[in-house]
Amino acid sequence: MSEDSFADPPPNVTSTNVTNAELPSCQNPADSTLENNIKVTAYSIILLVSLIGNALIILVFFKHKPLQRSINYFVVNMAFSDLLSPLTIMPLKIAEILFQVGSGTFLVHTPLALGNALCKLTYFLADVSVFVSIQSLLLISLDRLIAVVFPLKTKLISSKMRWAGIVCTWIVAMSVHAPYFFSMGLISEENKRYSVCTHLWPIEKLKAYVSSLFISFVLVPFCILLAIYSTIAVTLHRRHDERQTMSSNCRGSAHVKTRSVIGLSLAILAASILCLGPSFVLMIAKIFVWDWAPPTALYCSLPKIEFFVLFMWNSWPAFNPCTCFVFSKKYRHALCNSLKSLFTRRRSGSVATSTKMTSVRWTAKKSSSARFSMMVVERNRPGENE
């Protein structure tokens, strides 16, 4: 479900029943320099936050063993997948804004084979990243469901099973997006300066493919997540009376950890709804309400709506690491410890270097003093100067 899913297909790949005569004429002036600078700055910020934030998530996970448990396996899986977005689609979006060209634009003077390979690979990796993250959200919710509803069976979920689930998320995401290598390609613009990376399938086939992906991997998972977290909420509410009868110590030791982990999973889910919600609503409108033909009243304003939707979609990789560090004390403490150990090593290394240099200087000074003393003694020996 690439970026073309939000925009109307190009004229040369539309079906014969789509005509431009019924479309209103829209005057879309080019964005001002200030607007372009704001857009580039916004994309640059989320690119840097995505790269640095997800790299820190991976770092603290592998350096601190207390984090290598429970939902953190799936959180680090999301971090790995989220690294693909700033390395693929975000630089392309920044270039599009800087050069003021259309979506999915590639330079024509790029060799055709290389251009087609970049076209296919860029959108393939970007959409695989999103779908791996969505499946990771499902695995997080299932992990919490078992921990809350079936607490005696949590030991059955071993680290091997979690890693197997992580591998399955990548296999499924790559499999459903494998058609990108056959359906996507470059189409030359009229001025021959640029070419557009888009789907080359007939419009009806493309609509069926995008609709099936959206329903299977966005709409259905959203309903499953809603059902799972509703079950968790009902279970916790039923156990509320039991928690009140326990002592404060037992109550804290039994539920504080579970509550914090559920809070982190809910925060990650809320961030995903915030970022993917606008695209969720737009795709529902396109598929089920507009039948892929937006109303004429929204036709002229649709490009700005699509830009906002795509920006929120692409900003999801930047929200996930921020959510972890804000809502999880363990991640914050692990990050602080990692930074402290890094600075301590550097400081100890610099101290050792300065100590070594000082000892070398003292040795040199001592040896020169010894040589000077020997020269004075030799000069003052009796009989040598007579």
Side-chain angles (χ1 to χ4, degrees), residues 353-366:
T353 303
S354 73
T355 304
K356 184 177 180 180
M357 292 296 295
T358 303
S359 62
V360 169
R361 291 174 182 173
W362 174 254
T363 304
K365 184 177 180 181
K366 188 176 180 181

Side-chain angles (χ1 to χ4, degrees), residues 119-316:
C119 166
K120 299 172 187 294
L121 196 61
T122 296
Y123 288 100
F124 173 79
L125 293 177
D127 286 353
V128 164
S129 167
V130 176
F131 277 56
V132 167
S133 296
I134 292 175
Q135 294 177 83
S136 298
L137 286 176
L138 280 176
L139 293 177
I140 289 173
S141 64
L142 290 173
D143 187 278
R144 290 303 89 202
L145 178 68
I146 295 174
V148 173
V149 181
F150 309 102
L152 299 179
K153 297 183 179 180
T154 53
K155 294 183 179 180
L156 299 178
I157 307 176
S158 61
S159 60
K160 292 183 179 180
M161 292 185 62
R162 292 188 174 96
W163 283 118
I166 288 171
V167 172
C168 288
T169 61
W170 288 92
I171 293 175
V172 171
M174 291 182 178
S175 299
V176 299
H177 288 97
Y180 278 29
F181 293 102
F182 307 99
S183 67
M184 300 199 74
L186 295 177
I187 298 177
S188 298
E189 290 278 311
E190 294 181 358
N191 56 13
K192 303 301 181 180
R193 292 180 57 200
Y194 302 105
S195 55
V196 178
C197 178
T198 185
H199 286 280
L200 304 179
W201 276 346
I203 186 63
E204 296 301 328
K205 188 175 182 180
L206 176 60
K207 288 178 181 178
Y209 175 68
V210 173
S211 300
S212 61
L213 282 185
F214 175 76
I215 294 172
S216 301
F217 291 92
V218 179
L219 186 59
V220 172
F222 175 79
C223 296
I224 294 175
L225 288 170
L226 184 62
I228 289 176
Y229 282 106
S230 299
T231 304
I232 292 174
V234 170
T235 303
L236 293 176
H237 180 72
R238 289 179 179 177
R239 294 176 181 173
H240 179 72
D241 294 336
E242 297 178 3
R243 293 199 302 270
Q244 295 299 323
T245 58
M246 296 180 182
S247 63
S248 59
N249 293 333
C250 294
R251 203 163 53 228
S253 60
H255 298 281
V256 168
K257 182 179 178 180
T258 301
R259 187 170 61 242
S260 63
V261 175
I262 292 176
L264 176 60
S265 61
L266 287 176
I268 295 174
L269 179 62
S272 65
I273 293 175
L274 176 65
C275 297
L276 303 185
S279 61
F280 183 81
V281 174
L282 182 60
M283 289 301 297
I284 287 180
K286 278 197 169 187
I287 295 174
F288 300 105
V289 180
W290 301 338
D291 192 21
W292 292 95
T296 56
L298 292 176
Y299 186 80
C300 294
S301 59
L302 195 59
K304 293 188 179 296
I305 297 174
E306 289 171 348
F307 175 82
F308 171 75
V309 168
L310 284 172
F311 178 78
M312 295 304 297
W313 177 283
N314 293 325
S315 65
W316 190 20

